[in-house]
Amino acid sequence: AQKITQTQPGMFVQEKEAVTLDCTYDTSDQSYGLFWYKQPSSGEMIFLIYQGSYDEQNATEGRYSLNFQKARKSANLVISASQLGDSAMYFCAMRRRAVDNDMRFGAGTRLTVKP
Amino acid sequence: ETGVTQTPRHLVMGMTNKKSLKCEQHLGHNAMYWYKQSAKKPLELMFVYSLEERVENNSVPSRFSPECPNSSHLFLHLHTLQPEDSALYLCASSQDTQGWSQDGNTIYFGEGSWLTVV
């Protein structure tokens, strides 16, 4: 069974600094996708970044980058130059294939950016 | 502006009421989902519709009844709910393909409907 683990319930970072949010996953499948979502207090789940299991390069999207280490089964999210608006819950998720209806989510990490 | 819109954003209902949550996606996707997010629990998949047909129902109580009249709209009908059903209900959509690409695998969520059962 798939399992997503986020070991940091809460993280603090100073404004303008970089922060890494950890995510490890467990699957026996070879084809899968890894995702990160941001959820502000308003509730909306905002898609941030995607990494395919066969992608050789780490995904980047603006200030977000994904540190993908396939052998270690980790997919850490790096946020550079943190902003106050980055304060939110962050969820790591995995989907095995396009035909796998369920996207499995981790428990989330609450990030607080300090001014 | 989100491509998946949900109404209402907030709903308070009594245990004997009947209400519905509405979701509309403007992304041209072929699959739609209902997820439940309770405090201190991971997101739970409730229902999946692919090409307007229900393909998955994760043992959800019958007091929740989904309806997908077309590929752009999804409803969740609520009847005789319990206080423990109070949660954030998230609608989502995706364009599912056999290939592996970001667009073909990403699930996009709406803003959610906060439900309180009293």
Side-chain angles (χ1 to χ4, degrees), chain A residues 31-33 35 37 39 41-45 47 50 54 61 91 95-99 101-103 105-106, chain B residues 2 9 33 35 37 43 45 48 55-56 88 90 96-98 100 102 104-107 109-111 114:
Chain A
S31 296
Y32 51 88
F35 305 80
Y37 288 86
Q39 188 177 39
S41 57
S42 59
E44 182 183 5
M45 193 74 76
F47 165 70
Y50 163 85
Y54 290 118
E61 194 70 49
F91 292 93
R95 198 177 187 196
R96 288 178 298 176
R97 298 170 57 90
V99 295
N101 292 312
D102 197 1
M103 180 175 281
F105 287 81
Chain B
T2 179
R9 292 295 320 282
Y33 311 75
Y35 278 85
Q37 187 178 26
L43 264 74
L45 178 64
V48 180
V55 296
E56 190 160 340
L88 175 67
L90 288 160
D96 287 348
T97 64
Q98 289 291 335
W100 263 115
Q102 175 174 313
N105 290 280
T106 302
I107 294 179
F109 289 84
E111 295 173 308
W114 293 92

Side-chain angles (χ1 to χ4, degrees), chain A residues 60-79:
Chain A
T60 60
E61 194 70 49
R63 294 186 298 110
Y64 305 108
S65 60
L66 201 152
N67 184 358
F68 179 46
Q69 299 188 44
K70 191 171 182 177
R72 294 185 177 183
K73 294 186 177 178
S74 73
N76 298 339
L77 176 71
V78 180
I79 305 175

Side-chain angles (χ1 to χ4, degrees), chain A residues 24-44:
Chain A
T24 58
Y25 59 93
D26 187 19
T27 183
S28 57
D29 292 89
Q30 296 301 310
S31 296
Y32 51 88
L34 297 158
F35 305 80
W36 277 92
Y37 288 86
K38 171 185 178 181
Q39 188 177 39
S41 57
S42 59
E44 182 183 5

